[in-house]
Amino acid sequence: MKLTADYHTHTVYSDGKNTFLENFRRAKELGLTEIGCTEHGFSHVFRGLKRRELPQYISELRAAEQETGIRALLGLESNIRGESGLCDLNEHDFSDFELFVVGIHVFVNFEKMTDSRLGLGSWFRSQMHIRPSASLVRQTTRAYINAIEKNPVDIISHLNYCCFADPVEVAKCCRDYGTYLEISSKKAHLSDDELAKVADTGVRFVINSDAHSIDRIGDVVRAEEQVTRVGIPTERIDNIDGKMPTFRLAAWRKEHL
């Protein structure tokens, strides 16, 4: 299994330690074809990309791309801001962005007060090993599904990391809409049993590093080990062995821009 592209990476523009150029040089050393630049979304209270930074962000990304020859996708790890599926990447942004990764995070400007359960409330339960209520699982599941149905989401990042959804129902929605599920090599987010049940839905996967430093660019060892344990066919993973995914946002841009 050889990684073709790493679609989940961070730089100093969010909570990463390195610049675009440093990340891209590492990707080139590893023989990657493409890299996704996915800072935390605009509504992340402490670590999100600032909209005012976007022109400089794009300029630095393209300069690093030109210097290294590594194709870059300007992306965002957008936050789900509520049960409605509202994300902090919206249609007004699609002319700039090329990769739409979506996840649930803790310190986010949520749409409603009741939606904050998706973040801090879930995080607290996960840290204290408190079983989530059925209503919280339903709310989180609906948040993921609504985000996928209402937006051209390319990848769901680290599903159920510090939050609680029904992963099979989310996977079915991903399958039906053409959204990829990430198998993260940084965060243990689905158990082997959960991942096996998710795989049974027929959903397609990408494996990503979620790198926050250059030493982790392209590092998908943990994901590979889980894929092997669970027995997921490599034919279902679309960013390895020379394969490239077909992304929803690219199709949207082609149709509308």
Side-chain angles (χ1 to χ4, degrees):
M1 185 186 304
K2 179 174 173 54
L3 193 67
T4 306
D6 191 348
Y7 291 114
H8 190 168
T9 68
H10 296 267
T11 73
V12 292
Y13 276 95
S14 58
D15 56 347
K17 297 179 179 179
N18 297 97
T19 65
F20 289 121
L21 187 56
E22 290 169 328
N23 282 0
F24 288 18
R25 284 173 175 167
R26 178 57 179 158
K28 187 173 184 176
E29 290 174 1
L30 295 170
L32 299 184
T33 300
E34 192 167 72
I35 190 166
C37 306
T38 52
E39 310 300 346
H40 289 292
F42 303 118
S43 66
H44 199 295
V45 176
F46 300 113
R47 298 174 175 175
L49 178 68
K50 306 297 188 294
R51 287 188 181 277
R52 66 177 181 273
E53 297 174 329
L54 194 54
Q56 183 65 26
Y57 179 81
I58 295 173
S59 176
E60 290 185 16
L61 181 151
R62 294 306 176 205
E65 179 182 45
Q66 184 174 11
E67 179 170 329
T68 61
I70 295 292
R71 182 167 183 262
L73 294 185
L74 174 64
L76 200 72
E77 188 183 12
S78 180
N79 301 293
I80 298 177
R81 295 185 56 207
E83 184 179 343
S84 70
L86 177 68
C87 296
D88 54 10
L89 189 69
N90 57 58
E91 191 170 325
H92 299 294
D93 301 308
F94 293 167
S95 59
D96 288 323
F97 285 87
E98 301 161 317
L99 181 62
F100 197 166
V101 180
V102 164
I104 290 179
H105 295 89
V106 178
F107 298 109
V108 169
N109 180 18
F110 285 99
E111 184 179 14
K112 300 176 181 177
M113 183 65 69
T114 52
D115 291 320
S116 63
R117 292 207 308 164
L118 300 172
L120 192 58
S122 294
W123 177 84
F124 176 79
R125 285 170 175 80
S126 69
Q127 298 304 301
M128 300 301 294
H129 305 287
I130 299 172
R131 186 180 181 88
S133 66
S135 65
L136 178 57
V137 173
R138 286 194 299 269
Q139 182 183 13
T140 310
T141 303
R142 285 193 295 265
Y144 276 116
I145 288 174
N146 286 334
I148 294 163
E149 290 180 345
K150 294 179 180 181
N151 304 279
V153 175
D154 295 318
I155 300 169
I156 294 293
S157 66
H158 48 68
L159 173 64
N160 275 15
Y161 176 70
C162 292
C163 64
F164 306 95
D166 183 330
V168 171
E169 291 305 310
V170 177
K172 288 177 182 177
C173 187
C174 286
R175 175 199 65 198
D176 293 345
Y177 281 82
T179 294
Y180 289 94
L181 268 188
E182 174 186 83
I183 304 175
S184 175
S185 206
K186 181 180 184 226
K187 298 176 171 69
H189 57 108
L190 293 176
S191 69
D192 288 359
D193 182 61
E194 288 172 327
L195 186 58
K197 291 176 182 177
V198 161
D200 286 342
T201 68
V203 69
R204 300 195 71 81
F205 299 98
V206 291
I207 59 174
N208 288 324
S209 69
D210 192 2
H212 286 65
S213 58
I214 55 172
D215 60 298
R216 293 228 48 255
I217 296 291
D219 179 359
V220 292
V221 172
R222 183 180 200 165
E224 288 181 14
E225 290 173 347
Q226 188 174 31
V227 165
T228 300
R229 288 196 308 271
V230 175
I232 296 174
T234 56
E235 292 78 13
R236 296 271 298 283
I237 304 170
D238 282 356
N239 64 327
I240 60 171
D241 301 333
K243 291 182 293 183
M244 304 291 282
T246 301
F247 285 136
R248 293 177 65 193
L249 183 55
W252 188 97
R253 284 165 55 90
K254 185 176 181 179
E255 180 178 353
H256 293 92
L257 298 181

